Amino acid sequence: MDAAQKMDQQYRYQRYVYDLSRKYYLLGRDALLAEIPLQSGETLLEIGCGTGRNLTKLAYRHPHAKLYGMDASAMMLDTARDNLRNTLYAQQITLQQGLAGQVDHTSFGLEKPFDHIVFSYVLSMIPGWQDALEHALSILKPGGCLHVVDFSDQQTMPAWFRKLLLQWLDWFNVHPDPAVPAYLEQMAARHHDQLRIRHLSGRYAMLAHYQKGGIPNDHQPELPQISQYLDF
């Protein structure tokens, strides 16, 4: 069974209650979306877009941006299309099935790389997430941004809570890797890029904004000024 088939099997029934159930523990998603400096006419790709929840919120906030979503699960994309049907955002958002390491701007008929790429609680579900990040960086334009929200290490929370959380996540084939922030730092140092990272209270989750090249141009706003590893 390949990755796409596994995702379809997992979300065959979960997709109907996914957004309702996940809002209680996929924390920080809306904070990340609010911080994305998306400008009119820019392109944004969400890798692992699921039901289209994040893209819809971005479309409402940025009606003149061009939004794209990719997901391994055809069933989740069916739900996303149903959610978008007959809405104001139907023409603004383009969806496509695929894997994180396969997508690029030409897959969507674009001539130029993406301005923004979002990973929202997806890296913890991708075996070989390092390759997914490296590939995303390769299909991002100079000055473009990667935006990541995912589980952190919960090191300042009670040990029992962390144990229960990881057991719960394992039931859904979610395997957070506390090495993600360090890998992003290594990427930024290797490519001389700019990185902003912070953790939610208790280090429950981490939010990261990574700018390729690190120097904004006239069409790419500077990353939000957030303190590294600041709990709030």
Side-chain angles (χ1 to χ4, degrees):
M1 185 181 298
D2 62 22
Q5 291 173 321
K6 288 180 180 178
M7 290 296 99
D8 277 344
Q9 184 180 65
Q10 178 171 335
Y11 292 118
R12 181 180 300 275
Y13 302 110
Q14 286 187 45
R15 58 192 172 126
Y16 298 112
V17 296
Y18 185 90
D19 288 334
L20 179 62
S21 62
R22 265 54 175 185
K23 73 176 183 178
Y24 297 106
Y25 64 92
L26 298 188
L27 307 181
R29 292 180 297 172
D30 289 344
L32 184 86
L33 299 181
E35 293 170 357
I36 294 176
L38 185 58
Q39 303 298 303
S40 177
E42 287 189 331
T43 57
L44 178 145
L45 168 69
E46 182 178 11
I47 294 178
C49 64
T51 63
R53 180 253 189 203
N54 292 337
L55 291 174
T56 300
K57 286 181 173 290
L58 285 169
Y60 176 80
R61 187 183 295 268
H62 305 282
H64 301 295
K66 301 174 183 177
L67 307 177
Y68 302 87
M70 185 279 302
D71 202 280
S73 171
M75 291 186 176
M76 285 293 266
L77 289 177
D78 285 343
T79 298
R81 292 188 180 99
D82 287 342
N83 291 340
L84 289 173
R85 190 169 290 117
N86 298 322
T87 70
L88 297 175
Y89 319 119
Q91 301 303 314
Q92 189 183 350
I93 300 173
T94 302
L95 304 174
Q96 186 178 108
Q97 185 183 13
L99 301 178
Q102 299 173 342
V103 67
D104 65 16
H105 60 284
T106 63
S107 303
F108 291 95
L110 299 176
E111 296 181 358
K112 298 179 181 180
F114 296 102
D115 294 290
H116 300 269
I117 297 177
V118 175
F119 288 94
S120 176
Y121 282 97
V122 172
L123 294 179
S124 52
M125 299 185 67
I126 300 177
W129 53 263
Q130 298 92 335
D131 292 337
L133 281 174
E134 296 285 355
H135 179 70
L137 188 62
S138 74
I139 61 173
L140 194 68
K141 79 169 192 179
C145 299
L146 295 177
H147 309 278
V148 179
V149 59
D150 216 310
F151 295 102
S152 188
D153 55 25
Q154 300 89 44
Q155 285 302 303
T156 60
M157 303 187 80
W160 62 265
F161 176 88
R162 182 174 186 273
K163 181 178 179 181
L164 288 177
L165 175 65
L166 294 179
Q167 287 178 344
W168 166 263
L169 295 176
D170 186 61
W171 292 341
F172 298 100
N173 296 313
V174 177
H175 306 286
D177 191 333
V180 170
Y183 192 84
L184 286 169
E185 289 181 341
Q186 293 169 10
M187 277 181 56
R190 187 175 356 120
H191 296 288
H192 305 289
D193 294 336
Q194 181 182 356
L195 176 66
R196 300 276 192 273
I197 296 178
R198 80 170 182 274
H199 293 271
L200 300 186
S201 182
R203 296 177 67 92
Y204 178 87
M206 55 83 66
L207 286 76
H209 299 281
Y210 180 115
Q211 187 172 33
K212 186 174 181 178
I215 302 176
N217 57 37
D218 292 340
H219 303 289
Q220 183 63 59
E222 191 172 358
L223 290 181
Q225 296 300 310
I226 55 179
S227 301
Q228 274 200 327
Y229 304 111
L230 175 66
D231 286 345
F232 66 93

